[in-house]
Amino acid sequence: MSSFASQYPVINNGISIHFWDNISIITDEDGILSAYTDVKYEVNEQYTDVLELCDGSNSVESICQKLSYIYNANDDHSVRENVATMIEQLCTENIIHFENLPTTPRKFWGERGLTYPIHVSIEVTNKCNFSCNFCYKNANFVGACITTKIIDDVYSLIGEKTKSIQFTGGEPFLCDNIDKYINMFSNHNISIITNGSLLYTHDDDILKKVSLYQISLYGSNEDEYTINTRNTIGWNNIVLSIKKLNRIGCKYHLSVVLNKENYTKIDDYIRAAIKLNARKIVFGTQTPVGRGMSSNSCLTVDEFRMAYRLMRLARRKYNNYIDIEEWSHNGYQTNDSKNSDDSRGKSYQGLLGCGGGTSQFVISQNGKVRPCELLPESYFDLGGIEVIQQAIHGKYLDNSISYRARKFNNELWNHGKDFAQFCEPFERLLKGHSNDDTEAAT
């Protein structure tokens, strides 16, 4: 340890630490680090003790001294060796680096002993200038916007504790106060899900404050856009918006919802994205929610497999031109976590393994809270933002969520559909409570 005892470990730029109960969740600019890489994404209480002191103001020697005191250790040498090993590992995994002098202390998110959400998605409106036949939100041209009071209440509750904030809709840029809300959360990691048709009308400085835009792509040409969105100028507007984002250097990716009508056109979408100078395109699948519940456009298992084969072929074909990915509905949380003594997937039964309803929440334009944006409010309205306040203190609506999940999926079954087919955490929740007859209180 003597080689770096006098140096100051500090969290790397682009890495954020979120304290969640007695563990830490490590995120980068793209979100929670993958559990399938060799890099830690969830670390146990001992690593969290170390990370909390790696704020740039403590030398390695100072960290060892402080932890020896905290642990009231009889074997000071053993504590020093363990701490040195953990610091070296964190450095090897590019989570921290060393400085020769103290630096400005880094901000940590969350709070030790409490469970502030890691991610909050805010549906600022249910209005949309498109009318897609598979919209999970069932958004229309007429709707409501979230009130400033709701946003103020959300900020008061989690503004200093939750870094990852997502604005979505409907079409979020139809919300009159969207620029104000972007400014309010400008010190956070803001992502926006948008159809992209209105971005070009907004000020460059506002757009630059957003960390990531997810722009939905509803066709590969103007004619397809008109048919799929019922908007005759949608394609032209998205072209203008993407040109603007490219010009001012904003990060974005295009996203495509695959269904029976378009899953064989993956190649067309990719070529269109390349022509738009996009660097990344992400494919997902239509789910049986919103207007998708009444359509028969969801992929079958065989069609789903065919779509994945087409995507694998496309990756090889266009590898030098664009990054091609598929949405994951598995969440970041797995039962094989090698970095935590007790993964949250094991600790909190009766809840979604992706963190929906515990570490992630959605707030609708009505101020109603639910676990996931794909789960309809009519079934999964958990209440107002006081639900998040309760969750911060470890009070989760586990029985309520599992009961609602069974009720929702039973309704889908009556229509010949199954949400669990599209979401592994949802499927695991149903299987874990298949014999649970508890009628949960709302």
Side-chain angles (χ1 to χ4, degrees), residues 230-281:
R230 298 172 177 83
N231 186 310
T232 58
I233 59 174
W235 174 259
N236 292 330
N237 286 352
I238 193 175
V239 170
L240 291 173
S241 293
I242 291 176
K243 284 182 177 178
K244 182 167 189 170
L245 293 183
N246 286 334
R247 176 177 59 80
I248 64 179
C250 289
K251 185 176 181 180
Y252 69 92
H253 65 247
L254 304 182
S255 65
V256 178
V257 175
L258 296 177
N259 54 37
K260 290 181 181 296
E261 284 73 39
N262 68 1
Y263 80 98
T264 60
K265 299 179 181 179
I266 287 175
D267 212 71
D268 294 340
Y269 280 99
I270 294 171
R271 287 201 302 268
I274 293 171
K275 287 182 180 179
L276 291 168
N277 292 317
R279 297 181 178 179
K280 182 177 180 179
I281 185 168

Side-chain angles (χ1 to χ4, degrees), residues 12-26:
N12 284 341
N13 291 330
I15 294 289
S16 295
I17 308 299
H18 186 104
F19 298 136
W20 205 88
D21 199 359
N22 290 318
I23 64 173
S24 296
I25 308 299
I26 301 176

Side-chain angles (χ1 to χ4, degrees), residues 29 37 41 99 118 267 273 278 281 338 419 435:
E29 294 174 346
T37 69
Y41 76 104
E99 296 285 348
I118 298 165
D267 212 71
I281 185 168
K338 62 182 182 301
F419 187 82
N435 297 318

